[in-house]
Amino acid sequence: MKPVSPSDEPVPGDDVPFPRPHHDHDHCRHDALRRAEDVCARQGARLTQARREVLDLLWADHRPVSAYDLLHRLNADGRKAAPPVVYRALDFLIEHGLAHRLNSLNAFIGCAHIGGEHGAQFFICRECGQVAETRSPEIDSAIRTAGAELGFRVQAPVVEVEGVCPTCSGAPA
Amino acid sequence: MKPVSPSDEPVPGDDVPFPRPHHDHDHCRHDALRRAEDVCARQGARLTQARREVLDLLWADHRPVSAYDLLHRLNADGRKAAPPVVYRALDFLIEHGLAHRLNSLNAFIGCAHIGGEHGAQFFICRECGQVAETRSPEIDSAIRTAGAELGFRVQAPVVEVEGVCPTCSGAPA
DNA sequence: GTAATAAATGTTATGTTATAACAATTGATA
DNA sequence: TATCAATTGTTATAACATAACATTTATTAC
Ligand SMILES: [Zn+2]
Ligand SMILES: [Zn+2]
Ligand SMILES: [Zn+2]
Ligand SMILES: [Zn+2]
């Protein structure tokens, strides 16, 4: 079994958060847009044209994009949008849990999970630039425990891990 | 006992990484400089005037400082240093494990631990801006485990936790 | 000691990331 | 359709960071 697993690590078949090279990415994109519509509908928020376009650009692939890259892509068709357009759209998307900011890269990425705001951990491949987003209760709990030992009330843990993804580690396929 | 502990959390008396309001901070500063000299001596690196000054400025208190704040403080005495002065000094200090960069704040802080480069976790108080640096094997290990499950080779975990420190939580002392 | 070399610093300019402030437009509501 | 709130447009500027090259300072070789 284990048909196209990109690694020999003990990973569950299709739940691997690192995107496989030839996965159906159109599915990722369309799914993300659909989820965004759901979220906005439920929260009475408006997924306007600019916001939708930025979200779609974020889902061009599984790599984070800088705000100015987004701006250039937005303006590729001759438009003349200014930076606030992008930053406002990003603020909206982040507030509604549809995108995340990666502090270590000054870049943004579409949220791979469902639901509102939430903690997450990001694994960033130094080779290919792709990012996997996880929600590990174990990491979260280790952080909260360490915080408690300091008497620190944890509000927003940020975890961004640099390394090399399974594909770039030279896994079979 | 537990004479001036800032919190009722189960913390060891004097190992609390969050600085107590009236601790002997001159000791922190001088100790940091002395450790820096040790490290540089051992590594054959030169702790030049500019580097020493920046390190000393980083130890003004336990809050991170932006590069331009450092620059302004450097120039407070009429000097006319330019940004590269500060960024080079910071690069040096970081390379030698004497300072850290906090990505979520675009700011820098003196390393509170001894020794060369190392992973660490930062707990950042939203109220007072003070930062505690820890080295928690548990957090590190949770991250490495989660990475392994993705087939991801972890190289540099970044953990920056926002919240409220014991002092600002309204602890007794 | 002096020349050659390497390390560090000075200097100017520019690139990159992000926000402030206010005007104009659009969409919902009454 | 008048009103109000939300969104977008526009200009300017703030904040963060580095490239490139000249100059100086420290180390080493002779
Ligand atoms: Zn995909
Ligand atoms: Zn990769
Ligand atoms: Zn101190
Ligand atoms: Zn505090």
Side-chain angles (χ1 to χ4, degrees):
Chain A
M1 291 307 129
K2 203 179 54 160
V4 259
S5 176
S7 143
D8 282 340
E9 300 285 336
V11 291
D14 249 39
D15 293 337
V16 179
F18 259 104
R20 286 175 301 202
H22 302 98
H23 74 283
D24 178 5
H25 187 64
D26 278 340
H27 174 70
C28 300
R29 282 182 60 193
H30 295 139
D31 198 50
L33 264 289
R34 195 184 45 68
R35 281 187 288 116
E37 276 156 8
D38 285 359
V39 166
C40 290
R42 266 200 302 280
Q43 305 190 3
R46 293 171 48 208
L47 190 62
T48 62
Q49 185 62 19
R51 293 163 177 174
R52 178 189 302 271
E53 278 185 64
V54 168
L55 182 59
D56 193 50
L57 288 171
L58 283 178
W59 279 99
D61 55 21
H62 293 265
R63 293 176 175 84
V65 191
S66 80
Y68 276 75
D69 276 357
L70 288 170
L71 184 59
H72 295 145
R73 293 182 196 181
L74 264 188
N75 286 342
D77 59 0
R79 212 157 124 181
K80 286 279 290 175
V85 171
V86 168
Y87 284 102
R88 285 165 181 160
L90 288 170
D91 286 347
F92 173 91
L93 294 171
I94 290 168
E95 268 169 25
H96 291 82
L98 299 169
H100 298 283
R101 176 188 166 81
L102 293 174
N103 290 315
S104 53
L105 301 175
N106 290 338
F108 304 83
I109 192 163
C111 174
H113 295 277
I114 207 159
E117 283 199 273
H118 57 269
Q121 302 90 35
F122 299 93
F123 291 81
I124 305 165
C125 178
R126 282 178 166 161
E127 301 292 327
C128 66
Q130 293 193 100
V131 169
E133 174 183 352
T134 68
R135 295 189 193 180
S136 157
E138 290 79 16
I139 294 176
D140 215 61
S141 146
I143 288 173
R144 284 173 194 283
T145 301
E149 282 171 10
L150 303 179
F152 185 89
R153 181 150 43 90
V154 170
Q155 291 177 339
V158 171
V159 179
E160 300 176 7
V161 185
E162 292 192 20
V164 183
C165 80
T167 305
C168 293
S169 280
Chain B
M1 293 307 125
K2 201 178 51 158
V4 259
S5 176
S7 144
D8 282 338
E9 300 286 335
V11 293
D14 250 40
D15 294 338
V16 179
F18 259 104
R20 286 175 300 202
H22 303 99
H23 74 283
D24 177 6
H25 187 64
D26 278 340
H27 174 70
C28 299
R29 282 181 61 194
H30 296 138
D31 199 50
L33 264 291
R34 194 184 48 65
R35 282 187 287 113
E37 276 156 8
D38 284 0
V39 166
C40 288
R42 266 201 301 282
Q43 304 190 5
R46 294 171 48 208
L47 190 61
T48 62
Q49 184 63 17
R51 292 164 180 174
R52 178 189 304 270
E53 277 186 66
V54 168
L55 183 58
D56 194 49
L57 288 171
L58 283 178
W59 279 99
D61 57 20
H62 292 265
R63 292 176 176 83
V65 192
S66 81
Y68 275 75
D69 277 357
L70 289 170
L71 185 59
H72 295 145
R73 294 183 195 182
L74 263 188
N75 288 342
D77 59 1
R79 213 157 124 182
K80 285 280 291 175
V85 169
V86 168
Y87 283 103
R88 283 167 182 157
L90 289 169
D91 286 348
F92 173 91
L93 294 171
I94 291 168
E95 268 170 23
H96 291 83
L98 299 169
H100 297 283
R101 175 188 168 81
L102 293 175
N103 290 315
S104 52
L105 302 175
N106 289 341
F108 303 85
I109 192 164
C111 173
H113 295 277
I114 205 158
E117 283 199 272
H118 57 269
Q121 301 89 37
F122 299 93
F123 291 81
I124 303 165
C125 178
R126 281 177 167 162
E127 300 292 330
C128 66
Q130 293 193 101
V131 169
E133 174 184 350
T134 68
R135 296 188 192 179
S136 158
E138 290 78 16
I139 294 175
D140 214 63
S141 145
I143 289 174
R144 283 173 195 285
T145 300
E149 281 171 11
L150 303 178
F152 185 89
R153 181 149 43 91
V154 170
Q155 291 177 337
V158 171
V159 178
E160 299 176 10
V161 185
E162 292 191 22
V164 184
C165 80
T167 304
C168 293
S169 279

